């Protein structure tokens, strides 16, 4: 497993350069600071890979921005279900495609309960941004999680979070997060 993980991390590092250059066009959100000193990608007990805190993060602090190219409704309509798995809705007609590997926030896994993060829409001047925010104090080494929301779990997706109140294949939950299709 360690060898596969090392290959993935090397792929992520290589993609940061190429994806950043490719995404620097007018259809891209601000990429922000790609060096995330407070988080790291590691194997997860929830699902596949996860994002973990590397230091103490106090409640209410910004943890990481969800970044990637902007996708409008027309572009979204032409995407496959697989291509839509990292879309995060900004407005009714605009989403952020968080699939590029430089977007470390894409590795934050879903849990049905006991989450340590929440999502906030913030403005930088006229630009609306998506931020992951600590909803309680987060300890170094702790995996980050938030609820992906009702729409994400409609259809064939299966929750594997393992929470005592996990809704598994059930549609919907109590969150109104904007992770879409």
């Amino acid at each position: 497993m360690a060898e596969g993980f090392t290959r993935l991390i090397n792929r992520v590092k290589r993609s940061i350069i190429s994806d950043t250059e490719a995404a620097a066009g007018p259809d891209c959100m601000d990429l922000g600071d790609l060096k995330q000193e407070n988080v790291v990608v590691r194997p997860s007990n929830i699902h596949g890979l996860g994002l973990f805190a590397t230091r103490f993060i106090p409640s209410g602090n910004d943890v990481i921005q969800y970044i990637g190219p902007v996708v409008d409704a027309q572009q979204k309509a032409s995407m496959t279900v697989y291509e839509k798995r990292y879309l995060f809705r900004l407005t009714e007609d605009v989403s952020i495609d968080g699939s590029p590997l430089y977007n470390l926030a894409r590795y934050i896994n879903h849990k049905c309960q006991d989450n340590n993060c929440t999502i906030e829409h913030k403005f930088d001047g006229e630009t609306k941004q998506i931020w992951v925010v600590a909803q309680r104090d987060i300890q170094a080494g702790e995996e980050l999680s938030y609820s992906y929301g009702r729409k994400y779990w409609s259809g064939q997706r299966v929750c594997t979070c393992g929470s005592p109140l996990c809704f598994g294949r059930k549609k919907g939950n109590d969150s109104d997060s904007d992770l879409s299709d």
Side-chain angles (χ1 to χ4, degrees), residues 7-18:
R7 277 186 295 199
L8 175 67
I9 294 301
N10 288 334
R11 195 174 97 211
V12 169
K13 288 177 183 175
R14 284 191 306 272
S15 78
I16 287 173
I17 295 168
S18 61

Side-chain angles (χ1 to χ4, degrees), residues 12-67:
V12 169
K13 288 177 183 175
R14 284 191 306 272
S15 78
I16 287 173
I17 295 168
S18 61
D19 284 349
T20 301
E21 291 170 355
D27 295 326
C28 180
M29 295 297 291
D30 178 14
L31 296 179
D33 185 2
L34 297 176
K35 296 178 182 178
Q36 297 293 327
E37 296 179 13
N38 59 336
V39 293
V40 65
V41 177
R42 292 187 188 146
S44 167
N45 288 328
I46 299 172
H47 177 77
L49 297 173
L51 197 65
F52 293 78
T54 57
R55 63 173 181 80
F56 174 78
I57 303 172
S59 178
N61 281 20
D62 291 343
V63 178
I64 190 169
Q65 185 180 359
Y66 198 89
I67 57 175

Side-chain angles (χ1 to χ4, degrees), residues 29-30 64-68 84-90 96-99 103-108 119 128-132 146 179:
M29 295 297 291
D30 178 14
I64 190 169
Q65 185 180 359
Y66 198 89
I67 57 175
K84 292 179 182 179
R85 72 182 190 266
Y86 292 109
L87 289 184
F88 212 122
R89 188 174 56 237
L90 269 176
I96 293 196
D97 178 3
S99 64
N103 176 33
L104 296 185
R106 70 179 264 167
Y107 294 101
I108 300 175
I119 302 303
K128 190 173 185 180
Q129 301 174 336
I130 298 170
W131 281 89
V132 177
Y146 60 86
L179 199 60

Side-chain angles (χ1 to χ4, degrees), residues 134-179:
Q135 72 178 27
R136 63 168 173 78
D137 289 347
I138 300 172
Q139 303 303 315
E142 188 174 352
E143 182 170 4
L144 306 177
S145 65
Y146 60 86
S147 176
Y148 290 178
R150 288 184 193 98
K151 286 188 177 186
Y152 189 85
W153 296 107
S154 62
Q156 300 300 314
R157 291 189 175 102
V158 178
C159 177
T160 59
C161 75
S163 296
L165 298 177
C166 179
F167 51 82
R169 272 195 189 270
K170 294 180 191 171
K171 292 183 180 182
N173 65 22
D174 294 330
S175 173
D176 287 322
S177 177
D178 291 325
L179 199 60

Side-chain angles (χ1 to χ4, degrees), residues 68-89:
V70 172
V71 175
D72 63 27
Q74 183 178 2
Q75 293 167 309
K76 181 179 174 180
S78 69
M79 297 172 83
T80 67
V81 171
Y82 180 79
E83 291 171 325
K84 292 179 182 179
R85 72 182 190 266
Y86 292 109
L87 289 184
F88 212 122
R89 188 174 56 237

